[in-house]
Amino acid sequence: MPNKQHERIHSDDRNLCQLCMSELGGIYADLGLTMDELDLLDMPRRSFTVHFPVRMDSGKTKMFVGYRIQYNDARGPTKGGIRFHPELTIDDVRDLAFLMVLKCAVVNIPFGGAKGGVVVNPKNLSRNELEQVTRGYIRAIGQFIGPDKDIPAPDVYTDEKIMIWILDEYERIRGRHVPAVVTGKPYDLFGIKARSYSTSLGGIYVLEEAMKKVGMDSSRARVAIQGFGNVGSNAAKILHDKGYPVVAVSDSRGGIISEDGLNIPEAMKHKDRTGSLRDFPGSRNITNGELLVCDCDILIPAALSGQLTADNAEEVRARIVLELANAPTTTDADEVFFKKKVMLIPDIIANAGGVVVSYFEWSQNLNNDYWEEEKVLQKLRNIMITAFNDVHGLCHVESCRMRRAAYQLAVERILHAEKLRGNL
Ligand code: GLU
């Protein structure tokens, strides 16, 4: 019979995403956490909803709504991206902020977790309006952020240009330079080398460690990647350059496959020229659904959430799934993979390379000490591999799914910090 904690975490009024809920429900039951511990993790520490005016190009003023949720800061200042999306809700922001808390804890960097955003479709704004929305949002939340409080970063539909507007607006408010207030800045202005491909490379470091554990040979391991945005295309390019046969890739319009391996640099040029990967010479067109179940050894979902479900997980042929997207696998599919002995490397480790490099960027800005690319990569590799081995070791001890182990490790670290602070 489920205990009280277990019921609580599964109740309908919980807003955390279904995946977090079921994972945490299991952990509460297995670890026998107390109600106090559950309460402490259950609620965000600070949650802001702001409404701010923006003078549009037409001369008219329009009100926008923005959010910032600082979920937990026991392990350090809160950290997490800002997304601009027309369908953003405060519930999405809370779920994503909670995932950031777990992500920072599992890779053991000294941050809590946050997320924020503005309800807006950036495609409908001029460049000037985009800048004014960004600046208006920062004026609204400016007193609540800072290098030792809460540090934003890019997320869906926000980029380095927006990060610099954030920096500039914050510095105008403070009246001094504060480069560590935001990460994901351009390299030429307080940014860091390797930023653009840090999420993909961090995932690949973990992947190669996982391959050693299952005895997979990198020169023959065939890779399929769903998603050809920044993360998916960089992963394809890095793996191709390392000599892996990348047999299938896709974007939102569909995918391409070639059993002998695709020429990824040429496929990138083809996409730049035609706007899509389809009809790339020497390959066959496939759907996004077909890509997930194609004949490959490593599957990398790097696009949307909820792609691997109970409906297709049985048919997946890969032996390793590396979740570069956030939440691409449903709970049911997770179970199927575990039974089939497919090694699933969960998102909170697999795609943590971005926030790890954000940590380096913040640290460089605070110390005014800028590192060579080699040092950035070396430190990224160490952190990613240590996190993977911590979680993999726990899987062996507990004989559980890797996602469960990653959540468990993160929750234990967060609660330990709360205990040391005297909050528990
Ligand atoms: N938005 C990214 C993430 O969700 C980066 C966050 C950061 O660097 O703070 O991991």
Side-chain angles (χ1 to χ4, degrees):
M1 216 171 91
N3 61 21
K4 216 171 162 200
Q5 287 93 324
H6 194 258
E7 277 170 24
R8 165 84 183 271
I9 201 78
H10 277 94
S11 72
D12 286 336
D13 63 359
R14 291 280 299 119
N15 283 310
L16 285 177
C17 57
Q18 212 198 351
L19 192 75
C20 316
M21 273 169 33
S22 79
E23 219 46 84
L24 287 178
I27 291 170
Y28 287 129
D30 288 356
L31 294 187
L33 299 185
T34 66
M35 215 53 191
D36 302 355
E37 289 169 330
L38 172 56
D39 275 346
L40 203 136
L41 289 173
D42 201 26
M43 290 164 216
R45 291 300 169 91
R46 284 172 292 278
S47 176
F48 304 103
T49 299
V50 292
H51 297 93
F52 55 95
V54 172
R55 182 69 64 91
M56 306 302 278
D57 290 351
S58 64
K60 289 213 162 69
T61 295
K62 193 171 164 197
M63 291 301 288
F64 284 85
V65 55
Y67 306 112
R68 184 74 181 167
I69 294 190
Q70 299 166 349
Y71 201 97
N72 184 286
D73 59 1
R75 292 175 41 86
T78 52
K79 185 84 192 81
I82 286 175
R83 62 175 59 182
F84 285 180
H85 198 279
E87 275 135 43
L88 187 71
T89 67
I90 192 148
D91 292 343
D92 300 334
V93 177
R94 185 166 38 229
D95 292 349
L96 293 162
F98 182 71
L99 284 177
M100 284 307 301
V101 183
L102 297 180
K103 208 186 281 194
C104 294
V106 85
V107 291
N108 214 359
I109 56 176
F111 288 134
K115 205 75 164 198
V118 177
V119 183
V120 62
N121 185 349
K123 289 180 188 152
N124 295 343
L125 299 180
S126 69
R127 188 187 153 96
N128 173 56
E129 289 168 341
L130 185 63
E131 179 175 345
Q132 296 318 316
V133 167
T134 307
R135 290 183 183 276
Y137 173 63
I138 293 305
R139 281 196 296 278
I141 64 162
Q143 59 178 307
F144 310 117
I145 62 172
D148 50 6
K149 269 191 204 172
D150 178 22
I151 307 122
D155 203 85
V156 174
Y157 293 147
T158 55
D159 57 12
E160 58 177 38
K161 164 177 93 253
I162 292 178
M163 297 308 113
I164 279 299
W165 291 331
I166 292 178
L167 172 73
D168 188 69
E169 193 60 34
Y170 186 80
E171 290 185 341
R172 286 183 196 203
I173 295 169
R174 287 275 167 261
R176 60 189 166 88
H177 283 290
V178 196
V181 67
V182 60
T183 59
K185 301 177 292 292
Y187 175 64
D188 291 338
L189 201 52
F190 303 115
I192 184 165
K193 286 188 174 159
R195 170 86 213 180
S196 59
Y197 59 90
S198 55
T199 304
S200 314
L201 186 60
I204 290 167
Y205 286 146
V206 163
L207 172 67
E208 294 196 319
E209 197 64 12
M211 289 171 68
K212 282 191 217 155
K213 307 271 186 230
V214 299
M216 202 185 271
D217 174 359
S218 65
S219 63
R220 280 205 289 267
R222 293 155 307 146
V223 187
I225 303 175
Q226 187 196 44
F228 215 68
N230 176 44
V231 175
S233 66
N234 273 308
K237 180 154 188 323
I238 296 168
L239 288 168
H240 177 267
D241 289 351
K242 279 172 163 273
Y244 287 77
V246 179
V247 293
V249 291
S250 68
D251 60 23
S252 57
R253 298 184 189 187
I256 50 175
I257 189 163
S258 162
E259 280 73 16
D260 301 329
L262 296 157
N263 182 333
I264 296 298
E266 287 303 320
M268 288 170 121
K269 283 187 207 151
H270 175 79
K271 182 171 160 99
D272 281 347
R273 249 192 333 263
T274 66
S276 126
L277 289 163
R278 312 277 293 174
D279 304 322
F280 177 57
S283 74
R284 273 185 295 116
N285 289 337
I286 51 170
T287 64
N288 261 297
E290 286 165 347
L291 180 138
L292 297 172
V293 297
C294 77
D295 192 11
C296 66
D297 302 296
I298 297 163
L299 175 64
I300 305 185
L304 303 171
S305 60
Q307 297 298 295
L308 294 163
T309 65
D311 292 337
N312 59 11
E314 283 294 355
E315 293 166 63
V316 167
R317 294 199 242 174
R319 282 166 62 205
I320 299 181
V321 176
L322 179 75
E323 291 189 333
L324 287 187
N326 279 319
T329 311
T330 63
T331 314
D332 304 346
D334 233 28
E335 286 293 345
V336 174
F337 290 144
F338 187 56
K339 285 203 192 102
K340 281 176 57 172
K341 296 200 172 12
V342 171
M343 185 190 263
L344 184 139
I345 308 170
D347 49 4
I348 60 170
I349 311 178
N351 69 26
V355 74
V356 171
V357 169
S358 274
Y359 162 48
F360 300 155
E361 182 178 338
W362 172 80
S363 164
Q364 290 189 10
N365 297 149
L366 289 178
N367 294 311
N368 225 346
D369 174 23
Y370 291 84
W371 312 339
E372 288 306 320
E373 190 160 4
E374 206 179 310
K375 179 169 171 184
V376 176
L377 301 186
Q378 181 62 44
K379 288 177 79 83
L380 172 65
R381 188 167 187 278
N382 282 348
I383 289 185
M384 297 304 293
I385 289 181
T386 304
F388 176 80
N389 283 323
D390 287 349
V391 170
H392 191 260
L394 196 58
C395 279
H396 266 280
V397 176
E398 305 269 336
S399 4
C400 65
R401 289 171 297 110
M402 206 178 285
R403 193 187 314 281
R404 165 64 61 87
Y407 272 57
Q408 181 173 325
L409 184 65
V411 165
E412 282 173 343
R413 284 181 176 159
I414 297 156
L415 293 178
H416 184 58
E418 296 283 16
K419 279 183 191 138
L420 290 174
R421 284 175 181 278
N423 291 334
L424 281 170

PDB file of all heavy atoms in Angstrom, residues 373-395:
ATOM      1  N   GLU A 373      40.099  27.120 -24.347  1.00  0.00           N
ATOM      2  CA  GLU A 373      39.057  26.139 -24.673  1.00  0.00           C
ATOM      3  C   GLU A 373      39.400  24.752 -24.096  1.00  0.00           C
ATOM      4  O   GLU A 373      38.542  24.044 -23.567  1.00  0.00           O
ATOM      5  CB  GLU A 373      38.909  26.041 -26.189  1.00  0.00           C
ATOM      6  CG  GLU A 373      37.706  25.246 -26.630  1.00  0.00           C
ATOM      7  CD  GLU A 373      37.312  25.574 -28.055  1.00  0.00           C
ATOM      8  OE1 GLU A 373      38.030  26.363 -28.714  1.00  0.00           O
ATOM      9  OE2 GLU A 373      36.290  25.041 -28.515  1.00  0.00           O
ATOM     10  N   GLU A 374      40.685  24.403 -24.183  1.00  0.00           N
ATOM     11  CA  GLU A 374      41.109  23.078 -23.715  1.00  0.00           C
ATOM     12  C   GLU A 374      40.769  22.869 -22.231  1.00  0.00           C
ATOM     13  O   GLU A 374      40.317  21.802 -21.820  1.00  0.00           O
ATOM     14  CB  GLU A 374      42.629  22.983 -23.896  1.00  0.00           C
ATOM     15  CG  GLU A 374      43.148  21.582 -24.060  1.00  0.00           C
ATOM     16  CD  GLU A 374      44.656  21.631 -24.248  1.00  0.00           C
ATOM     17  OE1 GLU A 374      45.111  22.414 -25.111  1.00  0.00           O
ATOM     18  OE2 GLU A 374      45.349  20.919 -23.520  1.00  0.00           O
ATOM     19  N   LYS A 375      40.968  23.934 -21.448  1.00  0.00           N
ATOM     20  CA  LYS A 375      40.676  23.835 -20.019  1.00  0.00           C
ATOM     21  C   LYS A 375      39.167  23.688 -19.789  1.00  0.00           C
ATOM     22  O   LYS A 375      38.730  22.892 -18.948  1.00  0.00           O
ATOM     23  CB  LYS A 375      41.221  25.078 -19.291  1.00  0.00           C
ATOM     24  CG  LYS A 375      40.936  25.062 -17.811  1.00  0.00           C
ATOM     25  CD  LYS A 375      41.698  26.139 -17.061  1.00  0.00           C
ATOM     26  CE  LYS A 375      41.228  26.229 -15.622  1.00  0.00           C
ATOM     27  NZ  LYS A 375      41.856  27.312 -14.881  1.00  0.00           N
ATOM     28  N   VAL A 376      38.384  24.429 -20.564  1.00  0.00           N
ATOM     29  CA  VAL A 376      36.913  24.338 -20.436  1.00  0.00           C
ATOM     30  C   VAL A 376      36.477  22.897 -20.711  1.00  0.00           C
ATOM     31  O   VAL A 376      35.706  22.296 -19.944  1.00  0.00           O
ATOM     32  CB  VAL A 376      36.211  25.297 -21.438  1.00  0.00           C
ATOM     33  CG1 VAL A 376      34.695  25.127 -21.366  1.00  0.00           C
ATOM     34  CG2 VAL A 376      36.613  26.756 -21.182  1.00  0.00           C
ATOM     35  N   LEU A 377      36.999  22.324 -21.795  1.00  0.00           N
ATOM     36  CA  LEU A 377      36.568  20.980 -22.195  1.00  0.00           C
ATOM     37  C   LEU A 377      37.017  19.928 -21.176  1.00  0.00           C
ATOM     38  O   LEU A 377      36.276  18.998 -20.859  1.00  0.00           O
ATOM     39  CB  LEU A 377      37.093  20.630 -23.593  1.00  0.00           C
ATOM     40  CG  LEU A 377      36.638  21.581 -24.707  1.00  0.00           C
ATOM     41  CD1 LEU A 377      37.078  21.067 -26.065  1.00  0.00           C
ATOM     42  CD2 LEU A 377      35.125  21.791 -24.698  1.00  0.00           C
ATOM     43  N   GLN A 378      38.236  20.099 -20.678  1.00  0.00           N
ATOM     44  CA  GLN A 378      38.768  19.147 -19.693  1.00  0.00           C
ATOM     45  C   GLN A 378      37.900  19.138 -18.430  1.00  0.00           C
ATOM     46  O   GLN A 378      37.511  18.086 -17.914  1.00  0.00           O
ATOM     47  CB  GLN A 378      40.216  19.567 -19.355  1.00  0.00           C
ATOM     48  CG  GLN A 378      40.928  18.683 -18.363  1.00  0.00           C
ATOM     49  CD  GLN A 378      41.067  17.261 -18.898  1.00  0.00           C
ATOM     50  OE1 GLN A 378      41.413  17.075 -20.066  1.00  0.00           O
ATOM     51  NE2 GLN A 378      40.758  16.281 -18.076  1.00  0.00           N
ATOM     52  N   LYS A 379      37.540  20.346 -17.981  1.00  0.00           N
ATOM     53  CA  LYS A 379      36.739  20.445 -16.755  1.00  0.00           C
ATOM     54  C   LYS A 379      35.308  19.946 -16.992  1.00  0.00           C
ATOM     55  O   LYS A 379      34.712  19.305 -16.122  1.00  0.00           O
ATOM     56  CB  LYS A 379      36.733  21.891 -16.230  1.00  0.00           C
ATOM     57  CG  LYS A 379      38.079  22.289 -15.619  1.00  0.00           C
ATOM     58  CD  LYS A 379      38.100  23.723 -15.167  1.00  0.00           C
ATOM     59  CE  LYS A 379      37.428  23.945 -13.843  1.00  0.00           C
ATOM     60  NZ  LYS A 379      38.277  23.666 -12.687  1.00  0.00           N
ATOM     61  N   LEU A 380      34.779  20.220 -18.187  1.00  0.00           N
ATOM     62  CA  LEU A 380      33.432  19.733 -18.525  1.00  0.00           C
ATOM     63  C   LEU A 380      33.426  18.207 -18.506  1.00  0.00           C
ATOM     64  O   LEU A 380      32.540  17.564 -17.924  1.00  0.00           O
ATOM     65  CB  LEU A 380      33.022  20.253 -19.920  1.00  0.00           C
ATOM     66  CG  LEU A 380      31.731  19.689 -20.498  1.00  0.00           C
ATOM     67  CD1 LEU A 380      30.516  20.109 -19.666  1.00  0.00           C
ATOM     68  CD2 LEU A 380      31.516  20.167 -21.956  1.00  0.00           C
ATOM     69  N   ARG A 381      34.456  17.632 -19.120  1.00  0.00           N
ATOM     70  CA  ARG A 381      34.549  16.167 -19.198  1.00  0.00           C
ATOM     71  C   ARG A 381      34.598  15.547 -17.795  1.00  0.00           C
ATOM     72  O   ARG A 381      33.872  14.596 -17.500  1.00  0.00           O
ATOM     73  CB  ARG A 381      35.808  15.808 -20.004  1.00  0.00           C
ATOM     74  CG  ARG A 381      35.935  14.361 -20.321  1.00  0.00           C
ATOM     75  CD  ARG A 381      37.021  14.113 -21.372  1.00  0.00           C
ATOM     76  NE  ARG A 381      36.968  12.712 -21.734  1.00  0.00           N
ATOM     77  CZ  ARG A 381      37.527  11.748 -21.029  1.00  0.00           C
ATOM     78  NH1 ARG A 381      38.207  12.043 -19.935  1.00  0.00           N
ATOM     79  NH2 ARG A 381      37.391  10.492 -21.403  1.00  0.00           N
ATOM     80  N   ASN A 382      35.434  16.125 -16.941  1.00  0.00           N
ATOM     81  CA  ASN A 382      35.551  15.584 -15.576  1.00  0.00           C
ATOM     82  C   ASN A 382      34.214  15.583 -14.860  1.00  0.00           C
ATOM     83  O   ASN A 382      33.832  14.585 -14.232  1.00  0.00           O
ATOM     84  CB  ASN A 382      36.523  16.429 -14.733  1.00  0.00           C
ATOM     85  CG  ASN A 382      37.952  16.114 -15.080  1.00  0.00           C
ATOM     86  OD1 ASN A 382      38.224  15.130 -15.761  1.00  0.00           O
ATOM     87  ND2 ASN A 382      38.867  16.966 -14.642  1.00  0.00           N
ATOM     88  N   ILE A 383      33.511  16.706 -14.936  1.00  0.00           N
ATOM     89  CA  ILE A 383      32.235  16.817 -14.205  1.00  0.00           C
ATOM     90  C   ILE A 383      31.211  15.835 -14.774  1.00  0.00           C
ATOM     91  O   ILE A 383      30.513  15.140 -14.019  1.00  0.00           O
ATOM     92  CB  ILE A 383      31.706  18.274 -14.256  1.00  0.00           C
ATOM     93  CG1 ILE A 383      32.596  19.154 -13.369  1.00  0.00           C
ATOM     94  CG2 ILE A 383      30.240  18.345 -13.821  1.00  0.00           C
ATOM     95  CD1 ILE A 383      32.149  20.592 -13.216  1.00  0.00           C
ATOM     96  N   MET A 384      31.129  15.754 -16.092  1.00  0.00           N
ATOM     97  CA  MET A 384      30.110  14.892 -16.712  1.00  0.00           C
ATOM     98  C   MET A 384      30.388  13.419 -16.394  1.00  0.00           C
ATOM     99  O   MET A 384      29.479  12.653 -16.077  1.00  0.00           O
ATOM    100  CB  MET A 384      30.070  15.098 -18.236  1.00  0.00           C
ATOM    101  CG  MET A 384      29.683  16.481 -18.692  1.00  0.00           C
ATOM    102  SD  MET A 384      28.097  17.098 -18.083  1.00  0.00           S
ATOM    103  CE  MET A 384      26.940  16.018 -18.898  1.00  0.00           C
ATOM    104  N   ILE A 385      31.651  13.026 -16.482  1.00  0.00           N
ATOM    105  CA  ILE A 385      31.985  11.613 -16.263  1.00  0.00           C
ATOM    106  C   ILE A 385      31.810  11.244 -14.797  1.00  0.00           C
ATOM    107  O   ILE A 385      31.307  10.164 -14.472  1.00  0.00           O
ATOM    108  CB  ILE A 385      33.404  11.313 -16.797  1.00  0.00           C
ATOM    109  CG1 ILE A 385      33.339  11.365 -18.320  1.00  0.00           C
ATOM    110  CG2 ILE A 385      33.920   9.956 -16.318  1.00  0.00           C
ATOM    111  CD1 ILE A 385      34.617  11.071 -19.014  1.00  0.00           C
ATOM    112  N   THR A 386      32.188  12.157 -13.908  1.00  0.00           N
ATOM    113  CA  THR A 386      31.977  11.879 -12.478  1.00  0.00           C
ATOM    114  C   THR A 386      30.486  11.700 -12.205  1.00  0.00           C
ATOM    115  O   THR A 386      30.076  10.751 -11.505  1.00  0.00           O
ATOM    116  CB  THR A 386      32.541  13.037 -11.611  1.00  0.00           C
ATOM    117  OG1 THR A 386      33.911  13.199 -11.954  1.00  0.00           O
ATOM    118  CG2 THR A 386      32.403  12.762 -10.139  1.00  0.00           C
ATOM    119  N   ALA A 387      29.652  12.588 -12.752  1.00  0.00           N
ATOM    120  CA  ALA A 387      28.197  12.493 -12.511  1.00  0.00           C
ATOM    121  C   ALA A 387      27.671  11.163 -13.052  1.00  0.00           C
ATOM    122  O   ALA A 387      26.887  10.463 -12.391  1.00  0.00           O
ATOM    123  CB  ALA A 387      27.468  13.658 -13.176  1.00  0.00           C
ATOM    124  N   PHE A 388      28.110  10.816 -14.268  1.00  0.00           N
ATOM    125  CA  PHE A 388      27.626   9.557 -14.854  1.00  0.00           C
ATOM    126  C   PHE A 388      28.023   8.370 -13.973  1.00  0.00           C
ATOM    127  O   PHE A 388      27.209   7.494 -13.674  1.00  0.00           O
ATOM    128  CB  PHE A 388      28.177   9.377 -16.271  1.00  0.00           C
ATOM    129  CG  PHE A 388      27.771   8.060 -16.869  1.00  0.00           C
ATOM    130  CD1 PHE A 388      26.504   7.884 -17.411  1.00  0.00           C
ATOM    131  CD2 PHE A 388      28.640   6.981 -16.849  1.00  0.00           C
ATOM    132  CE1 PHE A 388      26.114   6.659 -17.925  1.00  0.00           C
ATOM    133  CE2 PHE A 388      28.260   5.745 -17.360  1.00  0.00           C
ATOM    134  CZ  PHE A 388      26.990   5.587 -17.908  1.00  0.00           C
ATOM    135  N   ASN A 389      29.280   8.355 -13.520  1.00  0.00           N
ATOM    136  CA  ASN A 389      29.727   7.218 -12.711  1.00  0.00           C
ATOM    137  C   ASN A 389      29.040   7.181 -11.348  1.00  0.00           C
ATOM    138  O   ASN A 389      28.720   6.102 -10.848  1.00  0.00           O
ATOM    139  CB  ASN A 389      31.253   7.214 -12.579  1.00  0.00           C
ATOM    140  CG  ASN A 389      31.892   6.708 -13.867  1.00  0.00           C
ATOM    141  OD1 ASN A 389      31.373   5.792 -14.515  1.00  0.00           O
ATOM    142  ND2 ASN A 389      32.987   7.311 -14.274  1.00  0.00           N
ATOM    143  N   ASP A 390      28.774   8.348 -10.761  1.00  0.00           N
ATOM    144  CA  ASP A 390      28.013   8.390  -9.498  1.00  0.00           C
ATOM    145  C   ASP A 390      26.651   7.718  -9.689  1.00  0.00           C
ATOM    146  O   ASP A 390      26.221   6.898  -8.881  1.00  0.00           O
ATOM    147  CB  ASP A 390      27.744   9.845  -9.053  1.00  0.00           C
ATOM    148  CG  ASP A 390      29.001  10.531  -8.516  1.00  0.00           C
ATOM    149  OD1 ASP A 390      30.009   9.844  -8.297  1.00  0.00           O
ATOM    150  OD2 ASP A 390      28.949  11.774  -8.323  1.00  0.00           O
ATOM    151  N   VAL A 391      25.976   8.094 -10.779  1.00  0.00           N
ATOM    152  CA  VAL A 391      24.620   7.581 -11.016  1.00  0.00           C
ATOM    153  C   VAL A 391      24.675   6.109 -11.421  1.00  0.00           C
ATOM    154  O   VAL A 391      23.894   5.289 -10.931  1.00  0.00           O
ATOM    155  CB  VAL A 391      23.906   8.434 -12.094  1.00  0.00           C
ATOM    156  CG1 VAL A 391      22.600   7.785 -12.520  1.00  0.00           C
ATOM    157  CG2 VAL A 391      23.649   9.832 -11.564  1.00  0.00           C
ATOM    158  N   HIS A 392      25.613   5.768 -12.269  1.00  0.00           N
ATOM    159  CA  HIS A 392      25.721   4.383 -12.721  1.00  0.00           C
ATOM    160  C   HIS A 392      26.038   3.461 -11.539  1.00  0.00           C
ATOM    161  O   HIS A 392      25.476   2.367 -11.415  1.00  0.00           O
ATOM    162  CB  HIS A 392      26.798   4.285 -13.814  1.00  0.00           C
ATOM    163  CG  HIS A 392      26.797   2.971 -14.517  1.00  0.00           C
ATOM    164  ND1 HIS A 392      27.694   1.977 -14.211  1.00  0.00           N
ATOM    165  CD2 HIS A 392      26.005   2.469 -15.477  1.00  0.00           C
ATOM    166  CE1 HIS A 392      27.454   0.928 -14.965  1.00  0.00           C
ATOM    167  NE2 HIS A 392      26.431   1.187 -15.745  1.00  0.00           N
ATOM    168  N   GLY A 393      26.912   3.931 -10.640  1.00  0.00           N
ATOM    169  CA  GLY A 393      27.257   3.152  -9.447  1.00  0.00           C
ATOM    170  C   GLY A 393      26.025   2.910  -8.596  1.00  0.00           C
ATOM    171  O   GLY A 393      25.783   1.793  -8.115  1.00  0.00           O
ATOM    172  N   LEU A 394      25.208   3.937  -8.441  1.00  0.00           N
ATOM    173  CA  LEU A 394      23.993   3.818  -7.638  1.00  0.00           C
ATOM    174  C   LEU A 394      23.013   2.834  -8.280  1.00  0.00           C
ATOM    175  O   LEU A 394      22.342   2.056  -7.602  1.00  0.00           O
ATOM    176  CB  LEU A 394      23.343   5.209  -7.500  1.00  0.00           C
ATOM    177  CG  LEU A 394      22.298   5.412  -6.435  1.00  0.00           C
ATOM    178  CD1 LEU A 394      22.854   5.091  -5.056  1.00  0.00           C
ATOM    179  CD2 LEU A 394      21.830   6.878  -6.450  1.00  0.00           C
ATOM    180  N   CYS A 395      22.966   2.825  -9.605  1.00  0.00           N
ATOM    181  CA  CYS A 395      22.089   1.880 -10.336  1.00  0.00           C
ATOM    182  C   CYS A 395      22.475   0.447 -10.003  1.00  0.00           C
ATOM    183  O   CYS A 395      21.625  -0.411  -9.865  1.00  0.00           O
ATOM    184  CB  CYS A 395      22.274   2.007 -11.832  1.00  0.00           C
ATOM    185  SG  CYS A 395      21.411   3.332 -12.533  1.00  0.00           S
TER     186      CYS A 395
END
